[in-house]
Amino acid sequence: MSNKLDRRKTSLFLFILTILFFYIPLFILIIYSFNEGKGMIWKGFSLKWYRELFTHSDNIWKAFKYSIVIAIASSFISTLIGTFGAIALKWFDFKGKNYLKNLSVLPLVVPDIIIGVSLLIMFATINFKLGIITIFIAHTTFNIPYVLFIILSRLDEFDYSVVEAAYDLGASNKQALTKVILPMLLPAIISGFLMALTLSFDDFVITFFVSGPGSSTLPLRIYSMIRLGVSPVINALSVLLIIISVILTLSTKKLQRNFIK
């Protein structure tokens, strides 16, 4: 009994230690976003860096706009392709099905730097100008497998008898898809979209290779800023992104609960 209790205490201690390891840097970042000074020495509470962010940081907001537009567009297309691709791989038989499914795993295991270099070589070979379009294509490409396997995992638990019942009641293929299959897959579709959105917005390595002049996304902009030293404006921006992420996460969980009900 004492050994079991000791194991629980050890597990709890390691869990708390891990949580502290992850969240203490975030709390430090939040605190120093309100620091009057630029360094790590506390010089008093101030909102100057938030004012700087919202009034004199046009380049940051331009990069933020590019990141949002690319993330939403690439996530939508990759979710669309991944959803219908998962349905095809699960319920349809065609030549090369297993080969295609195994091939879809590669972007998940191949290092990002290899994908970035490969895409750069491809765009250079066909003389495609680097810019927003190439970033969109790259993000859509590496997002599709994530969405695909999220939907496939949901389809593994899918009760196909519901679809068969819809056919027995006279539903067409289109009606079965839009009235039965897609609504039942909606929580997984939302999860896949949000995963793709996060990966796209956060990506640096692949974007670094396929971006062109004037097409800097937010991660690239932050990287260019910290090369000259960490600016407190980045702290303020990070706090804003944390707040947006928390709101989005809570809203998504509530939305998914409503759909499940």
Side-chain angles (χ1 to χ4, degrees):
M1 185 68 179
S2 61
N3 290 335
K4 188 175 182 180
L5 185 60
D6 289 339
R7 286 197 297 269
R8 287 182 178 179
K9 289 181 178 180
T10 303
S11 299
L12 180 61
F13 172 75
L14 292 175
F15 173 75
I16 294 174
L17 191 64
T18 304
I19 292 297
L20 291 175
F21 178 80
F22 278 114
Y23 286 98
I24 284 179
L26 294 180
F27 286 120
I28 294 175
L29 182 146
I30 293 171
I31 291 171
Y32 278 93
S33 70
F34 297 102
N35 186 16
E36 175 73 23
K38 287 187 175 182
M40 295 300 293
I41 299 175
W42 183 261
K43 293 187 178 181
F45 181 88
S46 175
L47 295 174
K48 64 181 291 187
W49 304 117
Y50 288 90
R51 288 194 296 268
E52 180 77 16
L53 174 64
F54 287 104
T55 58
H56 300 95
S57 302
D58 292 339
N59 289 335
I60 291 179
W61 290 113
K62 182 180 179 181
F64 182 81
K65 181 184 71 174
Y66 283 156
S67 292
I68 287 292
V69 171
I70 293 171
I72 292 175
S74 63
S75 299
F76 176 79
I77 298 300
S78 60
T79 301
L80 191 66
I81 296 174
T83 299
F84 288 103
I87 293 173
L89 288 174
K90 182 65 177 179
W91 288 331
F92 293 89
D93 290 323
F94 52 89
K95 188 176 180 179
K97 174 181 175 178
N98 292 330
Y99 173 77
L100 183 61
K101 188 173 182 179
N102 293 331
L103 192 64
S104 300
V105 181
L106 283 180
L108 303 179
V109 296
V110 173
D112 286 350
I113 191 170
I114 303 300
I115 297 176
V117 171
S118 301
L119 289 170
L120 176 60
I121 293 173
M122 183 193 73
F123 290 133
T125 302
I126 62 177
N127 293 321
F128 201 99
K129 184 179 179 181
L130 298 180
I132 296 297
I133 301 300
T134 54
I135 298 175
F136 164 75
I137 294 172
H139 285 208
T140 303
T141 301
F142 72 70
N143 274 334
I144 289 175
Y146 290 95
V147 178
L148 180 72
F149 285 100
I150 288 175
I151 303 298
L152 278 174
S153 65
R154 176 67 181 92
L155 287 173
D156 288 338
E157 303 172 356
F158 196 93
D159 186 4
Y160 193 75
S161 63
V162 178
V163 181
E164 293 176 337
Y167 284 133
D168 291 339
L169 293 173
S172 62
N173 288 332
K174 182 179 179 181
Q175 289 174 328
L177 177 65
T178 57
K179 302 292 185 180
V180 179
I181 298 175
L182 291 182
M184 293 183 69
L185 289 178
L186 199 54
I189 293 173
I190 293 174
S191 298
F193 176 82
L194 291 176
M195 172 66 77
L197 190 72
T198 303
L199 292 171
S200 176
F201 189 84
D202 187 56
D203 182 74
F204 171 79
V205 176
I206 296 175
T207 307
F208 180 82
F209 285 99
V210 299
S211 63
S215 60
S216 178
T217 60
L218 189 59
L220 295 181
R221 173 59 58 185
I222 293 175
Y223 173 73
S224 66
M225 292 174 65
I226 64 176
R227 290 175 66 184
L228 303 175
V230 178
S231 170
V233 175
I234 297 178
N235 295 342
L237 175 64
S238 300
V239 173
L240 180 64
L241 294 177
I242 290 172
I243 293 173
I244 293 174
S245 300
V246 170
I247 294 174
L248 184 61
T249 301
L250 295 177
S251 301
T252 303
K253 285 185 176 181
K254 184 176 180 181
L255 185 64
Q256 287 184 327
R257 283 199 299 266
N258 291 337
F259 279 120
I260 292 174
K261 291 178 181 179

